[in-house]
Amino acid sequence: MKKNLLSAIVFGTLVAGCSQMGSTPVARLDDGQLPLPADYKSWPAFLTAVQREDVKQIRDIYMNADAKKGSAEKGFPDGSVFVMENWSIKLDADGKAVKGADGKLVKDKLAAVFVMGKNAGWGGAVPEAQRNGNWIYSAFKGNGELNGDAKYDACRGCHAPLKDKDFVFRYDEHFAAVKAGKY
């Protein structure tokens, strides 16, 4: 009886202590270590059908539930993950972009998928001068295979000028759409 009572007290103390610790610690990751979430297409849209005729692409960007909690004033919280699909576009016989009846580019094949995630301590292997806060990146081929040739310093270089927008492209556009009730 005493042993069971002691076990119950120890267990209760551990549970109470753990509940006060906050969330489970997150593994420290670096570029190329973020997996491609299998369910990302069910996530809320960040922006869709982003027309990039200049690079012959259409981009669809999804965000997880943590990123959805972001705000224009505070940026995106730890735990935020974005997935961006880059689609090639259909081209006519002359190599010009094909547009649908709506005047928008027409998707062809999924060319690449990029994942961008944020958490405290992530990107620790990146030299301080090259960090984008706690954001890290992974690149995948259109078939979902990790792109071993990805140049993550290029990701960082592109996102670096967006420091005041939490290193996220189309930040203002997204939060304007949220404010307008579009997302």
Side-chain angles (χ1 to χ4, degrees), residues 59-134:
R59 297 177 177 178
D60 291 328
I61 308 166
Y62 302 88
M63 62 183 163
N64 69 356
D66 287 333
K68 182 128 176 88
K69 296 173 189 171
S71 69
E73 299 76 31
K74 294 182 180 180
F76 295 96
D78 283 349
S80 293
V81 177
F82 292 94
V83 176
M84 179 176 71
E85 295 178 333
N86 282 7
W87 293 83
S88 63
I89 60 171
K90 291 193 178 192
L91 303 173
D92 65 16
D94 295 327
K96 294 184 181 176
V98 173
K99 294 187 179 179
D102 60 0
K104 293 185 176 187
L105 301 170
V106 177
K107 286 181 182 177
D108 190 16
K109 296 177 184 158
L110 183 59
V113 181
F114 298 94
V115 181
M116 178 178 170
K118 177 183 183 181
N119 236 319
W122 282 9
V126 176
E128 186 66 38
Q130 296 175 6
R131 288 191 188 156
N132 292 162
N134 289 319

Side-chain angles (χ1 to χ4, degrees), residues 106-167:
V106 177
K107 286 181 182 177
D108 190 16
K109 296 177 184 158
L110 183 59
V113 181
F114 298 94
V115 181
M116 178 178 170
K118 177 183 183 181
N119 236 319
W122 282 9
V126 176
E128 186 66 38
Q130 296 175 6
R131 288 191 188 156
N132 292 162
N134 289 319
W135 290 101
I136 59 172
Y137 308 89
S138 287
F140 298 86
K141 298 175 183 176
N143 65 4
E145 176 184 321
L146 185 67
N147 183 348
D149 296 328
K151 305 288 187 235
Y152 297 113
D153 55 338
C155 298
R156 296 183 170 289
C158 273
H159 286 261
L162 302 167
K163 182 178 181 179
D164 294 338
K165 303 294 181 188
D166 200 10
F167 302 98

